[in-house]
Each structure stands twice: as structure tokens, then as C-alpha cells.
Amino acid sequence: MNESFSNDGVVLEQQQQEIVKDNLTVNCSTINPLKEEEVDVILLEENIQLLEKQLFQLKKLLLSANKKRDFDEKCKLETNSNNKQRKDKNNSLLLLKKITIDLIEIIVTLSFVNIGVVSYWRGTWAILEAYLGFRDKSTDKYVQYIWSGWTCLAIGVIILLVCHVFSSLLCVTSIINKWSEKLGETLDTVISSGFTFNKVLKIVAVTLIFTLERLYTYIAGFATVCCWKGIWSLWDGYLSPVVDVGVTQEISGWITHSIGVFLLLITWNLRSILAPPSLALMDNNLNLRGFVCDKWTGITYLKDKYREYKKYKK
């Protein structure tokens, strides 16, 4: 009997424990959701505060960035303004330098080049007059002009004919371009590249060409003066005794002047009347260019224009 009572007590205690356990489970199930909601609210408030802090920091950074950008733009504008002023100043200095150099070159052209060329013409003319003037007191002066004119003109034409043919051969055979590649543009470029046996030979070749170019130029210039004096003397011999009155050559001057301008206009060659000091040619190229004589190229010009016209029509 005691055993049964004890067993019933154990069962009763177990039941009470289960009831208490169930009550605790119910209480926990009703209390926990409320606590989770409170936790979520707290976390949300903390996140909001953190976001507000971050937004405040972001505003500070944005404000600092704007100030820095404004400062950089201001510095950039000041720098650009200073650079522009400096650039304008440099451009002004360069322009002043260029003008100064141009003025010096113009002065040299009007002084040294002008005096040198005219002195060469006058000296060559006087030499031709002395040796080919046919000064004979028993001969009429106009006859002397004619003999002197034809002699000087023949000498000039023959020499310049040889010069022009030689120049044309150089251009047609492209010798100028080939020698330009081998010898270089100037003697300075050859010397500055260092001395070797082959380069020394190039220097010797360039020096020889330099000398030959100057000799060629001198001969062509002499022939040019011969042509001028020849035609001048022929006008004096044939025209002056017919139209001129007294010692003046006013009438023959106007006639020859008009004929010359007319011939140059119809051949599109009026620029050929230019000579120093209106122009000056430098001796700075050592590539056989000094052997080139410029000739009248009217036919070549018309032929090229006709080809362009035919190509355009097609």
C-alpha cells in the first residue's frame, strides 16, 4: 500500500512539473515577441542615428569638396590668366625679335647685297665696254654700238644656252635628288655627324660642289650681263639715231620700255624684271641647286593646266 502511494506521488509530481513547464512555455511565447519588437525598435533608432551622423559627415565632406573645387577653379583661372599674360609677353618678344631680324636682313639686302650686285654689273659692263666696245674714232659710234651689241649678245646667249641645257639635264636625270641624298643639304650637317674616311670624302665632294656652284653662278652672271649689254647696245645702235633728238634718249627710252613690258606681259613673265635689291638669293644649299637656271615655262604650265582640265571633265 505504501508503494502504491509513493507511485501515485511520483506521478503527481511529474504532472505538476509538466503543468509548470507548459505554463512557462506559454508565458515565454507571449513575452518573447514583445522583447523582439523592442529590440528592433532600438536597432532602428540606432541605425537612424548612425545614418544621421553619416549624412552629417557627408554634408561636411560635400561642403569641403565644393570649397576645394571653388578654390581650385579660382587657382586655375589665376594660373590661366598668368599663363596667358606670360604667353602674350613671350609672343610679343618673339614678334619683336622677328621684326628686328627682318629689319636687319632688309638693311643688309639694301646695303651689302645691293652695292655688291650693282658693282658687279657696273664692273662687268665696263670691262665689256673696254674690250668689246670697238672704240675706233674713224667709225661711227652707232656702228660701234651695233658691233659691240652683237658680239656681247652672242657671247651671252652661247654661254647661257650651255648653262640651261646642263641645268635641264640635271633636272631630267634626277641627279640633283640623288646627290642631295648622298651629300646632305649643307656642309655643316656632314661635319657635325663626325669624321670618318667616308665622311671626309663627302666633305671633299661637297666642298668641290660648293666651289663649282659658285664658279657656275659667276659664269652665268657674266653671260647675263653680256646679254643685257648686247641688247642695250643694239637698241642704241639701231633705234637711237632714228628717233632720238639731241643727246637725250627720251623717245627711244619710252619705246624700248613699252616693248619690254609688253613682251613680258604676253609671256606671263613680268616678275623677271625683279633683281637685287628687290630680291636676294642665298648660297646656302649644297645640293646642286646652284646649277639650276630658271627658264620660261609657259608651255609646260599650259600643258599641265590642260591635263587638269581633261581630268576634271572625266
Side-chain angles (χ1 to χ4, degrees):
M1 188 173 180
N2 290 328
E3 292 178 356
S4 61
F5 181 78
S6 60
N7 291 332
D8 293 335
V10 170
V11 170
L12 182 61
E13 286 180 1
Q14 291 178 351
Q15 289 177 353
Q16 289 177 353
Q17 290 177 358
E18 289 179 358
I19 291 170
V20 171
K21 185 177 181 181
D22 292 337
N23 290 332
L24 289 174
T25 303
V26 170
N27 291 333
C28 290
S29 62
T30 56
I31 292 173
N32 285 337
L34 295 175
K35 291 184 178 180
E36 289 178 358
E37 290 179 359
E38 291 178 357
V39 169
D40 292 339
V41 170
I42 293 171
L43 291 175
L44 182 61
E45 291 177 353
E46 291 178 352
N47 291 332
I48 291 173
Q49 293 177 357
L50 181 62
L51 289 174
E52 289 177 350
K53 290 181 179 180
Q54 291 178 351
L55 182 61
F56 179 73
Q57 293 293 333
L58 184 61
K59 288 181 178 179
K60 288 178 65 177
L61 291 174
L62 184 61
L63 182 61
S64 176
N66 290 333
K67 290 181 178 179
K68 186 176 183 302
R69 185 188 61 187
D70 295 338
F71 179 75
D72 291 340
E73 289 180 354
K74 183 178 180 180
C75 292
K76 186 176 179 181
L77 290 174
E78 292 179 354
T79 304
N80 292 335
S81 177
N82 293 332
N83 291 334
K84 185 178 179 181
Q85 292 177 358
R86 193 179 299 110
K87 186 176 180 180
D88 293 339
K89 183 177 180 181
N90 291 334
N91 290 335
S92 300
L93 291 175
L94 289 174
L95 180 61
L96 180 62
K97 181 179 178 181
K98 185 179 184 303
I99 292 174
T100 303
I101 293 175
D102 288 341
L103 286 175
I104 294 174
E105 292 176 344
I106 291 172
I107 292 172
V108 172
T109 302
L110 295 176
S111 57
F112 293 99
V113 177
N114 187 19
I115 295 172
V117 172
V118 176
S119 299
Y120 171 80
W121 291 344
R122 196 258 180 198
T124 306
W125 193 290
I127 292 171
L128 292 174
E129 189 71 22
Y131 289 98
L132 300 176
F134 297 97
R135 296 303 182 189
D136 188 358
K137 294 182 179 180
S138 61
T139 307
D140 184 69
K141 68 174 183 177
Y142 296 109
V143 176
Q144 294 175 6
Y145 289 155
I146 293 172
W147 278 101
S148 176
W150 282 114
T151 304
C152 292
L153 182 61
I155 294 173
V157 168
I158 292 173
I159 294 176
L160 289 178
L161 178 62
V162 174
C163 291
H164 276 289
V165 171
F166 179 70
S167 173
S168 298
L169 289 176
L170 288 178
C171 295
V172 170
T173 56
S174 300
I175 293 178
I176 293 177
N177 295 330
K178 295 178 182 178
W179 278 81
S180 298
E181 295 175 358
K182 291 181 179 180
L183 299 179
E185 289 295 329
T186 63
L187 185 60
D188 295 334
T189 57
V190 178
I191 295 176
S192 62
S193 60
F195 286 95
T196 62
F197 180 74
N198 290 333
K199 289 173 183 177
V200 169
L201 291 179
K202 285 185 178 181
I203 293 172
V204 173
V206 170
T207 305
L208 179 62
I209 289 177
F210 179 85
T211 305
L212 291 177
E213 278 186 350
R214 274 58 196 167
L215 180 61
Y216 178 88
T217 302
Y218 179 81
I219 295 173
F222 173 79
T224 302
V225 178
C226 287
C227 289
W228 291 344
K229 187 186 184 306
I231 297 174
W232 192 306
S233 297
L234 289 176
W235 280 121
D236 287 342
Y238 287 111
L239 187 62
S240 289
V242 177
V243 298
D244 288 332
V245 178
V247 295
T248 62
Q249 294 181 328
E250 180 181 358
I251 299 176
S252 64
W254 278 109
I255 293 174
T256 55
H257 176 81
S258 302
I259 292 174
V261 172
F262 175 74
L263 291 175
L264 292 174
L265 286 175
I266 64 173
T267 56
W268 305 339
N269 218 31
L270 188 62
R271 295 183 71 246
S272 295
I273 65 176
L274 297 178
S278 61
L279 58 83
L281 301 176
M282 293 290 294
D283 299 332
N284 56 352
N285 289 328
L286 298 175
N287 51 13
L288 301 184
R289 295 291 176 184
F291 292 105
V292 177
C293 290
D294 292 330
K295 62 181 182 301
W296 180 73
T297 56
I299 297 175
T300 304
Y301 174 80
L302 292 175
K303 183 176 66 175
D304 293 339
K305 288 298 180 181
Y306 180 70
R307 287 179 179 176
E308 292 178 3
Y309 174 75
K310 289 180 65 177
K311 185 177 180 181
Y312 173 79
K313 293 294 287 185
K314 289 181 180 180

